[in-house]
Amino acid sequence: SAWLERNLVTWLSHRQNMDVWIRGIIEELPQHELGRFLQSVRTHGSWFERWASKRLSCPLEGVQIGIVEASKRNMAVNHGKLWLPLMKNGSGEVKRVILSAMRDIDDEDAYLLIDEIWHSPWRFVLRCAYMLVPHNFPNYPRMREMFEAGLNSPHERIRKDAQKRLEAMNKRKSPED
């Protein structure tokens, strides 16, 4: 049955390259089922970037999250190029998923995506960025600027977090005080 095939391919995709099967399934799946399937598989080839690029404008949040989840450990994908439109135009939850997935991508791609996150109107996205960016990307060159931008946030908790982070950065910079 189709259900058994999808579940078997999902399970096997985390153990071996199942791209041939995945390609066949995603071409036949109805859009409302596509997001859930993509969120559960692992892809391996560069074909996925080409396929996903054509579906970035899909209005279904599940499909957008699925694109991130299916591509996050695929080293044949240019994550910065693929995820940047989602970081710019996606929902807050899509942005949060990208932030969590970025630990596996190269620094330059991550920095490009982090630059987009500062201006998010969503408090939960900014809180996630404030936790993950210093931990996963301690050498992010615009770290101070990111926290300084947080001082102007309409959210009190974001302003407090930004202030604490900046104070900690200042203490590390001048330990003789």
Side-chain angles (χ1 to χ4, degrees):
S1 81
W3 178 86
L4 180 61
E5 177 187 33
R6 281 198 306 260
N7 285 310
L8 188 58
V9 168
T10 296
W11 183 78
L12 284 171
S13 73
H14 293 274
R15 287 148 185 83
Q16 66 187 43
N17 186 335
M18 296 297 291
D19 282 0
V20 171
W21 289 84
I22 291 170
R23 287 175 89 164
I25 291 170
I26 61 178
E27 293 302 330
E28 294 177 7
L29 270 181
Q31 201 169 26
H32 68 279
E33 293 180 28
L34 186 57
R36 185 177 180 140
F37 179 73
L38 289 173
Q39 290 175 45
S40 62
V41 297
R42 180 174 179 192
T43 61
H44 295 272
S46 60
W47 69 271
F48 187 76
E49 183 175 355
R50 291 186 302 277
W51 180 88
S53 294
K54 296 174 187 166
R55 285 147 184 93
L56 292 175
S57 60
C58 175
L60 297 177
E61 182 180 74
V63 172
Q64 294 176 358
I65 291 171
I67 288 170
V68 174
E69 291 293 337
S71 65
K72 69 182 178 184
R73 289 190 180 87
N74 183 339
M75 292 303 121
V77 169
N78 179 334
H79 297 96
K81 180 181 169 189
L82 181 61
W83 295 350
L84 187 60
L86 295 175
M87 189 62 96
K88 286 182 176 183
N89 304 313
S91 69
E93 182 61 13
V94 171
K95 293 174 184 184
R96 190 199 61 76
V97 168
I98 292 171
L99 278 167
S100 299
M102 286 185 346
R103 72 176 185 268
D104 296 321
I105 69 173
D106 68 68
D107 287 352
E108 291 306 313
D109 282 344
Y111 296 166
L112 180 69
L113 296 167
I114 294 167
D115 287 344
E116 289 297 320
I117 209 66
W118 305 359
H119 313 292
S120 175
W122 303 104
R123 186 178 73 195
F124 74 98
V125 173
L126 293 171
R127 295 278 317 256
C128 184
Y130 285 7
M131 289 187 319
L132 294 177
V133 172
H135 183 264
N136 293 339
F137 303 98
N139 298 322
Y140 174 56
R142 290 170 290 287
M143 187 86 69
R144 178 172 294 281
E145 296 168 51
M146 179 177 76
F147 291 126
E148 287 171 349
L151 295 175
N152 299 319
S153 173
H155 307 290
E156 181 180 356
R157 186 73 190 155
I158 295 299
R159 291 191 305 269
K160 285 180 180 179
D161 286 352
Q163 185 63 45
K164 285 179 186 176
R165 294 286 186 164
L166 287 168
E167 288 170 4
M169 290 172 81
N170 290 336
K171 283 182 183 177
R172 279 193 303 262
K173 200 172 191 179
S174 57
E176 65 274 353
D177 291 342

